[in-house]
Amino acid sequence: MSATVNPQGKISITGISKTYGHFHALKNIDLEIPPGSVTVILGPSGSGKSTLLRTINRLEKPDAGFIRIDEDYIGYRQKNGKLYELKEKDILKQRLNVGYVFQNFNLFPHLTVLDNIIEAPVVHKRLTRPQAIARAEQLLKSVGLQHKTHAWSRHLSGGQQQRVAIARALALDPGVMLFDEPTSALDPELVGEVLEVIAQLAKSGRTLVIVTHEIGFARQVADQVVFMVDGEIVEQGSSDQVLNHPRHARTQNFLSSVL
Ligand code: ADP
Ligand code: MG
């Protein structure tokens, strides 16, 4: 049995539905995300973007459907052609291979930048402490924050905190990275530095799924753009098709409202 996700990063979303009481947050979503690609998810507030992202690493359990990353069913193990639900500790283990970056950074405020980054690889015994420190230093350099290694995370600007959060998510070397509106909590002048780091990451061969309202950024990095309304995918295609030649009135209206 393998509870780990092979870091190729092909994501297959099949028939995912989620209800909260009588409310259908996701309605039978199908989506293929090729390995190493960048997918941007757009849509008005409440359309189900975060819920979809959260089902990919099983922070949210769907009512129906499956998520596969490469050969692994998220939340399940396969044995003799049958699926068995994983225990919470095995779900946690599986989740280590999917990096998640939150709107509000979610750093540990009482820890230094370095300790934020080395925590997971050390606790989960993926790396020894010296290895984790070496990797953290390398990651901090790649996000332009090597001079903040020993700073308290609460003393950093929002843009710096989010770059540390990205480095922290990368510390376990995940094949898949999920971003839920990574720049919407930032002051406008700090958005660029975070988008630049994500754009660099887009070239790294990892699979990125990004919920964002930054249309210019989506144009620059997305291989695939998905537009959601009311728990459904209304339109999907290349960034040129969806952003420059949207077919649906809902997409057109949305784009004219955010541009
Ligand atoms: P988006 O990220 O596109 O703004 P969400 O995925 O956060 O949308 O939410 C989709 C809908 O599901 C919203 O109407 C939201 O109120 C509802 N929802 C999300 N999470 C919960 C929850 N835990 N309980 C009840 N309703 C929820
Ligand atoms: Mg959301």
Side-chain angles (χ1 to χ4, degrees):
M1 169 218 149
S2 163
T4 58
V5 179
N6 173 346
Q8 303 292 310
K10 171 182 152 67
I11 308 172
S12 302
I13 298 172
T14 313
I16 288 289
S17 292
K18 177 75 189 177
T19 54
Y20 296 109
H22 294 296
F23 180 77
H24 280 251
L26 295 176
K27 303 170 185 165
N28 198 23
I29 299 278
D30 291 317
L31 182 63
E32 288 293 318
I33 299 177
S37 67
V38 179
T39 294
V40 164
I41 303 179
L42 300 176
S45 178
S47 57
K49 306 179 300 294
S50 297
T51 306
L52 181 62
L53 215 57
R54 290 162 60 83
T55 61
I56 296 177
N57 69 351
R58 218 164 175 86
L59 285 171
E60 203 76 66
K61 187 177 161 183
D63 302 321
F66 293 100
I67 308 270
R68 255 182 311 155
I69 297 182
D70 299 317
E71 299 313 313
D72 290 320
Y73 283 83
I74 299 306
Y76 299 89
R77 66 188 169 89
Q78 288 180 81
K79 201 178 165 192
N80 303 329
K82 282 191 182 161
L83 292 179
Y84 298 89
E85 226 170 302
L86 288 176
K87 296 198 188 83
E88 195 54 37
K89 80 173 181 6
D90 292 319
I91 290 174
L92 284 174
K93 218 184 274 176
Q94 210 176 39
R95 199 175 284 149
L96 297 179
N97 296 292
V98 180
Y100 205 103
V101 175
F102 300 87
Q103 186 174 339
N104 292 311
F105 335 128
N106 288 7
L107 293 178
F108 305 116
H110 58 290
L111 296 182
T112 64
V113 164
L114 180 71
D115 285 337
N116 264 278
I117 300 174
I118 68 173
E119 200 254 3
V122 170
V123 166
H124 298 285
K125 301 192 167 53
R126 292 291 185 88
L127 298 175
T128 64
R129 194 179 162 84
Q131 284 171 333
I133 291 172
R135 176 151 177 86
E137 284 170 348
Q138 190 190 355
L139 286 167
L140 281 171
K141 197 167 166 205
S142 73
V143 300
L145 289 173
Q146 62 273 48
H147 58 296
K148 295 293 184 185
T149 306
H150 301 292
W152 296 106
S153 46
R154 64 177 183 276
H155 291 168
L156 304 183
S157 72
Q160 291 171 334
Q161 289 192 45
Q162 192 60 301
R163 286 186 282 151
V164 172
I166 293 169
R168 182 178 63 174
L170 288 167
L172 291 160
D173 200 19
V176 171
M177 288 275 285
L178 310 175
F179 296 82
D180 195 355
E181 301 202 29
T183 61
S184 31
L186 298 176
D187 292 333
E189 74 272 20
L190 303 178
V191 168
E193 65 192 56
V194 171
L195 293 181
E196 202 176 301
V197 164
I198 301 173
Q200 282 302 318
L201 206 53
K203 300 177 195 153
S204 72
R206 291 172 215 279
T207 307
L208 309 190
V209 186
I210 308 166
V211 174
T212 183
H213 297 296
E214 297 287 338
I215 304 297
F217 171 74
R219 243 191 211 101
Q220 179 199 340
V221 304
D223 299 302
Q224 169 170 245
V225 174
V226 173
F227 178 66
M228 292 179 67
V229 178
D230 293 341
E232 291 179 296
I233 294 176
V234 168
E235 184 159 0
Q236 77 186 87
S238 68
S239 67
D240 180 56
Q241 193 256 297
V242 178
L243 301 176
N244 300 335
H245 310 284
R247 293 182 186 139
H248 287 259
R250 291 298 298 260
T251 321
Q252 289 162 9
N253 290 341
F254 177 80
L255 289 172
S256 54
S257 73
V258 294
L259 285 178

